[in-house]
Amino acid sequence: MDAPELKQAVETLLFISDQPLDAAKIAAALGRKDKDAVAAVVAEVQKDYDERGGPVRVIEIAEGFQMATKPEFAPYVRNLYKERMTMRLSTAALETLAIVGYRQPLTRAEIEEIRGVEVIAALETLLEKALLKVVGRRETVGRPLLYGTTPEFLRHFGLRSIADLPPIDTFKPSEPTEAEKAALTEVDPVDGEPVTVAVEAPAEQEIVAVESEPAEAEAAAETEGKSEEA
Amino acid sequence: MNAKTYEVHLEMFEGPLDLLLYLIRKNDLDIQNVPVSKITSEYLSYLDLMKELNLDVAGDFLVMAATLMQIKARALLPSQEEGTGFEGPDPRLELVNKLQEYQKFKEAAGFLQKRADEWSDVFYRGAPTFAERDKALNIRIFDLLATVRDVLDRAEAEGRVVTGEEYPIEHKMDKILAMLAEKPYVTLREIFVGERRRKAIIACFLALLELIKLQRVFGRQEGPFAEILIYKKETPPEIVTAIWPSEELPTPSPVQLKEEPEPDPELPEGGPALDRESWLAAAPDAVQEPEENNDGRP
C-alpha cells in the first residue's frame, strides 16, 4: 500500500466509523503494525479536512478520532431528523454522571453517599443510554457492582479522555438557578417574603476551560457565540 | 379540601443535601459555620410545606431532619472539657464535609451540562446498521443441520461415556449468552465447543433455537455453505454489557424460522420445534445431509 492509498484507506475508515477510532484500531483494520505511522497519517487527514474548511471535520474525541459535523449546520441536521429525540439529562442524571466521572469505579451505595439520596432510577437510565457501564464488582460483602464511564460519556460531553475533566476542586459554589428562585420566591414559608438573591456572574464562567484542540475550541466558541445570540 | 386527590413529584430538590445547600445559599450563610438551629428550623418548615403540598417526601429527607436535630441537641448540651476524647466523630463536621463534597459535584454536573450543550450541535455518523430483514434467520436449514451433524459426528469419535447427567437447556442458553457477552458474534461451531456428548450437543442446539425464538440472538450466513454466525440481538435485557449505542436501537421484529420450500419430512412437526424428547429421539436420523457439506471446517 503506497502512501496516497494508505491515506485514503484511513480516510475511508474515519468516514464510515460510528465511533471514535484510535490509531491502534485503524492500524488493525489496515493489517498494519506501525501504529505510530498510522497515527501520523490520521493527523494528515485531519489537517487536510481543516485546511479544506469543509462542513465536516476530523476531531479528537473519546480517546480516538471521528468525523463530525460543524455546529453551524446543526439546525439543518435537526430538521432532517425532526422525529429523533435529543438526549436530555435530568439533574439527577448529571449529578450521578459527575460523581462517577470523578470517582470511578464506584458502587451505587457510594454514589448515594455523596448525593444523599438514592440513585437507582438515574443509574438505570444512564446504563441504558450507555453513558455508564458496569466495570466490575467490589470484592466486599455482597460483591456490589462497580460503575464507570463509557466512550459515549466522553463523546456526549466533548471530552478526549477522562483526564479532560477539570480537577474537581476547581468547582466553586454558584448562585441558585433561575428555576430554583422562581419556584421558591413565592412560597417562602420562613419569612413570608419573596426571596431575593443577589445575582452575580454565573459560576460557569469561573470554571477553568477544558484544554481543547484548536478545532474543538473553535467549535466551542462557535457554539457559545450562537447561544449568546439566542 | 380533599386530601390525596393528587400527588406532585417535585424534582427540584435532588435530596436533603440539595435542600440544605439551597437554604445555605438563600440565606447567604458560610457553609463552614452554618448556624444549625436556624437552618434546622428552616429545613423542617420546608419539609412541612412539602408534606402540605402532597409532595412525596423521601425517607432521606427525614433522616437528615434527625441528623440536624441531633447536631442541634449536641450544641445545646454543656460543652465537655476539651480534649477528653469522648466525643467520637463530630456529626456537624461530617455534615459540613458532605455538603461541601456534594456541592462540588453539583457544580461539576453543571459543568457537564454546559459541555453537553456546547457539543449538542456536533453530529457523528450513525452506525452502519443491519437492515431489519437481515436480522431474520436467513440461514439455510440444511446448513444448520449439517453443522450439527458434523459436530455430532465428532462427538461419537471422542466417545467418553458419563451416565446420569442432565443437560438443562437453560444452562446451555446461559452458556451461549455468556459467549456472546464477550464478542459480537460466535460461529455456530464455537457454540458446541467443549460439548462431548450427543445429548449435551443437542441441548445446546435447542438452547440456540430457543434463544433465536426469544429474540435474544440471531443467525446470519453470508451465502450457501458459508459459516453460520450467531449474533446477539442488541435490544438489551442485560444492560450490564453496555454496547456502543447505535443511533437507532432496532425494534425487535418477529423472527421467523424460514423453512426451505421442501421441508425435511423427517423433521419433527413444526420444524425444529422445542420438543426436546422427540428431538432427542429423532435427531440421529433427522439429519441426513449429503456428505458434501462436511467441508472440513475446524
Side-chain angles (χ1 to χ4, degrees):
Chain A
M1 199 184 281
D2 59 11
E5 200 186 347
L6 174 62
K7 200 162 152 187
Q8 295 202 348
V10 168
E11 186 173 340
T12 303
L13 294 178
L14 287 170
F15 167 75
I16 202 65
S17 179
D18 66 321
Q19 50 182 288
L21 295 174
D22 59 17
K25 255 189 212 155
I26 295 173
L30 297 173
R32 300 176 71 107
K33 294 215 165 66
D34 48 351
K35 204 177 74 178
D36 293 341
V38 170
V41 177
V42 172
E44 268 180 55
V45 174
Q46 189 179 22
K47 195 162 147 260
D48 279 2
Y49 271 78
D50 285 347
E51 284 172 0
R52 203 181 304 160
V56 174
R57 298 170 297 148
V58 176
I59 60 170
E60 190 180 354
I61 188 87
E63 293 171 342
F65 293 85
Q66 191 173 10
M67 287 200 180
T69 62
K70 285 191 174 172
E72 61 251 50
F73 302 111
Y76 313 117
V77 180
R78 286 187 206 289
N79 282 345
L80 186 60
Y81 290 100
K82 264 199 276 287
E83 74 283 8
R84 300 258 174 98
M85 300 286 285
T86 322
M87 187 169 359
R88 190 78 207 168
L89 296 167
S90 67
T91 312
L94 281 165
E95 286 181 16
T96 306
L97 283 175
I99 292 167
V100 178
Y102 280 97
R103 290 286 168 82
Q104 63 186 320
L106 80 174
T107 66
R108 196 186 86 206
E110 286 159 357
I111 303 171
E112 289 175 346
E113 174 68 19
I114 294 173
R115 287 198 65 220
V117 69
E118 69 174 32
V119 296
I120 300 177
L123 207 49
E124 276 178 4
T125 315
L126 295 170
L127 289 169
E128 203 175 297
K129 290 180 170 163
L131 290 166
L132 295 182
K133 66 182 174 192
V134 171
V135 294
R137 287 176 180 274
R138 175 144 291 161
E139 294 302 331
T140 57
V141 183
R143 302 187 69 235
L145 295 171
L146 287 168
Y147 299 95
T149 56
T150 62
E152 180 59 17
F153 171 93
L154 296 175
R155 204 166 69 158
H156 188 78
F157 297 114
L159 303 167
R160 281 173 304 173
S161 74
I162 208 72
D164 262 354
L165 285 174
I168 185 69
D169 286 325
T170 55
F171 293 111
K172 297 192 178 68
S174 71
E175 297 300 321
T177 63
E178 291 301 319
E180 274 179 355
K181 275 187 279 184
L184 280 159
T185 298
E186 292 169 19
V187 282
D188 184 3
V190 179
D191 42 24
E193 278 177 27
V195 182
T196 46
V197 185
V199 180
E200 289 165 23
E204 282 88 355
Q205 293 177 4
E206 296 165 14
I207 294 165
V208 178
V210 172
E211 190 191 329
S212 305
E213 288 289 291
E216 282 182 41
E218 187 189 316
E222 281 161 2
T223 320
E224 270 177 3
K226 266 171 24 136
S227 61
E228 277 167 23
E229 284 166 30
Chain B
M1 196 172 108
N2 258 344
K4 297 268 172 198
T5 45
Y6 62 92
E7 280 187 32
V8 185
H9 291 269
L10 190 65
E11 273 196 39
M12 198 176 59
F13 291 120
E14 290 296 330
L17 291 174
D18 202 15
L19 174 52
L20 275 181
L21 279 182
Y22 169 78
L23 294 175
I24 290 169
R25 280 183 300 171
K26 186 172 76 80
N27 294 308
D28 203 14
L29 299 172
D30 176 8
I31 200 167
Q32 297 277 6
N33 301 299
V34 176
V36 176
S37 95
K38 176 175 166 59
I39 212 86
T40 303
S41 60
E42 276 207 49
Y43 182 89
L44 292 176
S45 63
Y46 267 101
L47 230 54
D48 286 343
L49 176 70
M50 285 159 80
K51 280 183 197 154
E52 211 173 296
L53 291 172
N54 252 351
L55 297 181
D56 198 11
V57 179
D60 299 312
F61 280 96
L62 301 177
V63 172
M64 179 57 74
T67 307
L68 285 171
M69 288 191 274
Q70 185 200 356
I71 296 171
K72 191 174 163 186
R74 208 183 157 104
L76 292 174
L77 288 173
S79 62
Q80 307 184 344
E81 283 178 48
E82 281 179 34
T84 47
F86 278 113
E87 305 214 352
D90 180 357
R92 189 175 178 286
L93 195 63
E94 274 181 27
L95 179 62
V96 167
N97 287 341
K98 275 186 85 162
L99 277 172
Q100 283 181 321
E101 190 181 28
Y102 175 65
Q103 190 173 39
K104 277 184 202 162
F105 284 109
K106 224 173 141 45
E107 295 304 320
F111 167 79
L112 288 180
Q113 172 71 69
K114 185 169 154 269
R115 292 287 297 184
D117 287 348
E118 282 173 10
W119 282 80
S120 66
D121 283 348
V122 175
F123 297 99
Y124 307 91
R125 283 191 60 84
T129 46
F130 290 122
E132 213 34 60
R133 64 177 177 281
D134 290 342
K135 295 208 170 181
L137 181 70
N138 63 347
I139 295 167
R140 295 210 322 161
I141 194 85
F142 296 117
D143 285 344
L144 190 63
L145 295 177
T147 307
V148 178
R149 162 96 272 168
D150 190 34
V151 176
L152 279 173
D153 286 348
R154 282 158 204 266
E156 289 298 85
E158 296 199 27
R160 251 202 285 167
V161 180
V162 181
T163 51
E165 286 249 283
E166 269 294 311
Y167 298 98
I169 292 179
E170 289 75 15
H171 289 188
K172 301 302 180 195
M173 286 166 67
D174 288 346
K175 177 189 132 178
I176 294 169
L177 288 176
M179 292 171 103
L180 283 168
E182 286 159 18
K183 32 189 177 173
Y185 66 84
V186 294
T187 63
L188 179 55
R189 261 154 223 281
E190 277 179 86
I191 286 189
F192 299 106
V193 166
E195 304 295 352
R196 292 241 166 84
R197 304 200 58 219
R198 299 181 67 88
K199 283 189 178 181
I201 291 168
I202 291 168
C204 242
F205 184 54
L206 292 178
L208 177 65
L209 293 177
E210 178 72 11
L211 285 172
I212 291 171
K213 194 187 100 183
L214 293 173
Q215 304 206 22
R216 303 285 293 275
V217 305
F218 63 96
R220 293 191 81 225
Q221 192 181 22
E222 291 306 326
F225 309 124
E227 189 87 50
I228 293 170
L229 303 179
I230 307 299
Y231 292 82
K232 183 166 57 176
K233 270 261 183 185
E234 291 210 2
T235 37
E238 295 188 320
I239 42 183
V240 170
T241 51
I243 324 156
W244 193 270
S246 59
E247 280 298 300
E248 40 194 334
L249 283 177
T251 45
S253 73
V255 172
Q256 281 154 359
L257 292 173
K258 287 198 195 111
E259 288 181 40
E260 288 294 292
E262 33 194 350
D264 191 332
E266 303 226 31
L267 270 181
E269 252 328 277
L274 295 172
D275 180 343
R276 196 169 157 221
E277 292 311 313
S278 62
W279 234 91
L280 286 181
D285 300 317
V287 191
Q288 286 184 331
E289 266 297 291
E291 297 291 316
E292 58 184 69
N293 276 348
N294 288 340
D295 51 355
R297 280 179 289 251

